[in-house]
Amino acid sequence: MQRAGVGRALVCLVAAALVAAGCGTSGAGGGGRVRLTVATFGEFGYEPLFEEYERAHPEVDVVGRVTDFDTHHRGLITALATGRGAADVVAVEEQYMPRLRRSARRFADLAAFGADRLRERWPRWKWEQGVADGGRVVFALGTDMGSLAMCYRRDLFERAGLPTDRDRVAALWPTWEAYAEVADRFAERVADARFADSAGTVYTAVLNQAEENYFAKADDSFIGDTNPNVRRAFGIAGAIAAKGRTAKVTTFTPEWNVAINRGAFATVTCPAWMLAQIREAGGAAGAGRWDVTAVPGGGGNWGGSYLAVPAQGAHQREAYRLAEWLTAPEQQEELFVRSGILPSEPEVYRDPVVLGHTDPYFGGAPVGALFAASSDRVRPNHRGIRDADVRPVFGRALGRVEDGAQDVAQAWEQAVREAHDLIG
């Protein structure tokens, strides 16, 4: 999935039209230096690294361009189609990788600059999402991954008479079915808070633990209507929603932030990058109330990104060098320790510095060890070319269940019908 929020300095808030107009594209920097733009969505934590890179490469100016998730990807697709307006280095979230792999010719082949010699840095599944033409073309390098944990409110668990110790909490829910049972127990004792933030986050976590979801790995045909993994995830999340166990707040919205601040829900599945958002929304009053433990079902993944170099750029070699440096182990480790962005390179997330990292806001939880353990259990799931189109349909269906507009069966039937209409 995606990070939320928009960064700080050097932000160029643009819609697709402005991107096409060339906001922040490469060119000559001051004093004849090469200016490289890096376009990302949400918070990648790159600004201090840009400054570090400029000090080591005085011939280069680096400019960040940060927009929200949808604006970024729509703008990138438009820029690739028109052949102008793309940044020198662009971030791509994993759900867009299948679609953009079909346009790999619009990206620089990074193998020509030596990227093919970097493949041992990443797990095979992460590397293969960034290559095309049978692995002969390298069009993107992996950045982070979204291995899952469960964030929970210790104070609300205590009020519900549930264990608060993170190991005992993890033992409550070996499966998602057990998690739903704990939600029922919680509701018996706590009336002014809900167990989960939304059915959508539960659904995404369950679904992403399966190797296939909406599209078949073999031929990319739509199987969302018959795949038992999809039906199971929808059934579990739908049942939780129908019982009123969720706070009905969509992740990363202002309402979600307010709900965190007010303690309106007790659990949320959380990749490492979400901890900063919970911390920001919860404020000082939330310190020590949150904790982190293992997610039901043994691992999972919520998002993860790549860096690519559009072929339309005037400084592709220089852009590659910057992308390679940003994804190098030293910088990936720094990003985790400073910003909590979990690296996708096993050498890095198994490093003692990462493994020993704790978070005082979350009760001193050993977040480095927790997320590293979850990373080792990630099972890559196939994302179809139309995944980004179909996925929201099922999310909206669960919203109708939460609102009481439909029961689970009705919502499922409408979602399947709309998915078929979308893919034709």
Side-chain angles (χ1 to χ4, degrees):
M1 191 65 65
Q2 67 270 35
R3 301 180 185 89
V6 177
R8 32 191 198 290
L10 300 176
V11 172
C12 184
L13 278 173
V14 289
L18 290 179
V19 173
C23 174
T25 52
S26 63
R33 296 187 295 273
V34 172
R35 185 181 67 187
L36 298 176
T37 55
V38 180
T40 61
F41 52 93
E43 183 54 80
F44 275 64
Y46 280 167
E47 293 298 341
L49 293 180
F50 292 164
E51 296 172 5
E52 184 178 342
Y53 190 83
E54 288 175 335
R55 286 195 295 272
H57 302 81
E59 75 282 8
V60 176
D61 287 337
V62 183
V63 179
R65 176 201 297 172
V66 185
T67 55
D68 65 79
F69 183 84
D70 291 332
T71 299
H72 170 82
H73 287 97
R74 286 199 303 269
L76 175 59
I77 290 170
T78 299
L80 293 175
T82 60
R84 64 192 184 95
D88 297 283
V89 179
V90 297
V92 181
E93 209 271 347
E94 67 173 26
Q95 71 176 274
Y96 279 90
M97 291 297 285
R99 177 181 296 183
L100 294 183
R101 187 179 297 109
R102 301 179 74 189
S103 303
R105 70 185 187 284
R106 301 184 188 277
F107 293 97
D109 180 5
L110 305 183
F113 305 127
D116 53 331
R117 294 192 291 274
L118 304 177
R119 69 178 61 201
E120 297 306 319
R121 283 185 182 177
W122 290 275
R124 181 177 177 181
W125 65 268
K126 185 73 176 182
W127 172 259
E128 290 185 345
Q129 289 186 5
V131 302
D133 194 19
R136 288 180 287 275
V137 173
V138 181
F139 74 98
L141 301 176
T143 59
D144 64 317
M145 64 190 301
S147 57
L148 279 181
M150 183 70 79
C151 293
Y152 68 100
R153 287 276 300 238
R154 295 173 64 94
D155 55 330
L156 294 180
F157 269 53
E158 186 174 9
R159 284 176 54 197
L162 295 169
T164 58
D165 173 80
R166 62 183 70 97
D167 292 332
R168 293 184 64 198
V169 171
L172 288 173
W173 49 52
T175 66
W176 286 103
E177 287 81 359
Y179 172 83
E181 293 172 4
V182 177
D184 293 339
R185 291 172 58 188
F186 180 89
E188 292 174 358
R189 300 284 293 273
V190 179
D192 60 349
R194 298 294 179 263
F195 190 64
D197 64 334
S198 73
T201 55
V202 174
Y203 173 69
T204 298
V206 181
L207 190 63
N208 285 351
Q209 289 179 341
E211 185 175 1
E212 292 179 315
N213 41 64
Y214 302 109
F215 297 91
K217 187 177 180 180
D219 58 4
D220 209 42
S221 60
F222 178 68
I223 58 172
D225 54 347
T226 58
N227 184 353
N229 296 322
V230 180
R231 193 59 187 263
R232 172 176 175 263
F234 196 91
I236 291 171
I240 290 174
K243 290 181 178 179
R245 307 296 188 235
T246 73
K248 307 179 187 178
V249 286
T250 302
T251 316
F252 314 132
T253 61
E255 292 78 12
W256 186 75
N257 291 333
V258 170
I260 290 175
N261 187 266
R262 294 179 177 174
F265 58 84
T267 67
V268 56
T269 54
C270 53
W273 47 260
M274 189 186 286
L275 300 190
Q277 296 167 28
I278 294 174
R279 188 183 301 112
E280 182 176 348
R289 295 184 175 181
W290 285 94
D291 208 322
V292 188
T293 190
V295 73
N301 193 44
W302 184 357
S305 300
Y306 293 78
L307 294 181
V309 176
Q312 63 190 255
H315 304 289
Q316 296 174 32
R317 182 177 297 278
E318 291 84 355
Y320 165 72
R321 288 171 179 163
L322 175 57
E324 192 277 331
W325 186 83
L326 288 170
T327 58
E330 295 81 3
Q331 284 62 251
Q332 291 293 296
E333 180 176 303
E334 181 180 341
L335 285 169
F336 178 75
V337 172
R338 177 167 45 80
S339 303
I341 298 172
L342 187 70
S344 58
E345 302 165 23
E347 173 191 341
V348 185
Y349 67 67
R350 293 172 184 160
D351 185 277
V353 172
V354 173
L355 291 174
H357 188 64
T358 60
D359 194 320
Y361 190 89
F362 290 84
V367 293
L370 278 166
F371 286 109
S374 181
S375 298
D376 281 335
R377 291 194 292 268
V378 167
R379 296 169 57 195
N381 57 12
H382 174 72
R383 297 294 186 96
I385 293 170
R386 300 294 301 276
D387 184 277
D389 298 322
V390 168
R391 188 169 291 261
V393 168
F394 289 82
R396 289 193 294 270
L398 287 168
R400 293 192 295 274
V401 178
E402 287 181 310
D403 292 339
Q406 291 180 327
D407 63 26
V408 178
Q410 291 168 335
W412 170 261
E413 182 180 347
Q414 181 174 335
V416 168
R417 186 170 62 252
E418 291 179 355
H420 277 292
D421 292 343
L422 267 175
I423 60 178

